[in-house]
Amino acid sequence: MALREVLQFPDPRLKEVSKPITRVDDEIRELARDMIDVMYDEPGIGLAAPQVGAPIRLFVIDTEWSDEEVGRNPMVVINPEISEREGRITWEEGCLSVPDYTATVERDARIRLRGTDLDGNPIEEIAEGLRAVCIQHEVDHLDGILFIDRISRLKRSLYVKKRKKQLAEEQG
Ligand code: NI
């Protein structure tokens, strides 16, 4: 099975605000399965639906996986909401949609995530550290925000320049 392609900056679809999911059908189940495959293949610790061109409010996450299948524990979150936020934390972030770049981003240190799983069961989790950072990063994707939108204008413009050069070389 061919893996879904991850959209990369500056694809305009990454800037769209994704729509809430009202009904989980087979298409969405298949999407979630495919996204989990892509996440482990890339590899990454989270992936949001708009990154594979599906503008709906769903992400997958596994912040502690190891190479062995047994160490994998992917969570699919539908219509996520962050309801409580506490403290601040900085973390070096990267993104499968922002090639060859990482930067330090400041986020909330401790959050409460609510959402539902593929079967409509409620998900509620208090997350901190890397897990909290990753959840906020993925929810940002659903709002059309990339982590490079949360760094200084100077750093961002340097990255944009580097990326444009890279794309020009790929096409050249
Ligand atoms: Ni990302």
Side-chain angles (χ1 to χ4, degrees):
M1 186 202 66
L3 288 169
R4 296 192 194 221
E5 188 193 346
V6 177
L7 304 182
Q8 296 196 324
F9 178 82
D11 193 305
R13 287 171 286 180
L14 293 168
K15 298 208 67 126
E16 280 175 31
V17 177
S18 293
K19 296 209 164 36
I21 294 172
T22 51
R23 200 174 70 89
V24 174
D25 55 18
D26 288 346
E27 206 177 315
I28 289 178
R29 285 174 201 283
E30 195 186 324
L31 172 74
R33 271 198 304 271
D34 288 355
M35 284 171 59
I36 290 167
D37 289 344
V38 171
M39 174 174 70
Y40 291 129
D41 182 71
E42 282 280 343
I45 56 171
L47 187 69
Q51 291 182 274
V52 290
I56 55 172
R57 302 190 79 82
L58 179 157
F59 70 79
V60 299
I61 184 173
D62 189 352
T63 43
E64 290 178 344
W65 66 279
S66 59
D67 265 345
E68 302 96 68
E69 296 270 333
V70 66
R72 294 180 175 185
N73 184 27
M75 182 167 82
V76 179
V77 187
I78 288 169
N79 298 331
E81 300 277 351
I82 295 170
S83 60
E84 285 164 41
R85 303 164 180 275
E86 213 180 82
R88 300 297 280 170
I89 190 174
T90 54
W91 210 277
E92 181 89 9
E93 293 188 29
C95 178
L96 299 177
S97 295
V98 180
D100 308 315
Y101 189 66
T102 60
T104 303
V105 180
E106 190 182 345
R107 298 200 185 261
D108 302 306
R110 197 161 183 268
I111 58 164
R112 184 188 299 269
L113 167 73
R114 289 179 204 269
T116 55
D117 68 13
L118 285 170
D119 300 315
N121 302 312
I123 289 172
E124 184 168 350
E125 178 183 330
I126 291 171
E128 51 188 27
L130 171 64
R131 184 99 176 159
V133 167
C134 186
I135 289 167
Q136 289 168 82
H137 177 120
E138 301 313 328
V139 172
D140 265 0
H141 274 301
L142 306 183
D143 292 324
I145 299 167
L146 298 174
F147 80 94
I148 51 172
D149 297 319
R150 296 195 180 278
I151 62 178
S152 75
R153 196 173 291 191
L154 175 65
K155 276 191 190 163
R156 188 176 191 282
S157 68
L158 286 172
Y159 174 70
V160 171
K161 219 186 238 175
K162 176 181 142 174
R163 178 70 181 139
K164 280 185 180 155
K165 201 177 155 206
Q166 187 183 45
L167 285 169
E169 278 166 8
E170 277 172 20
Q171 281 157 17

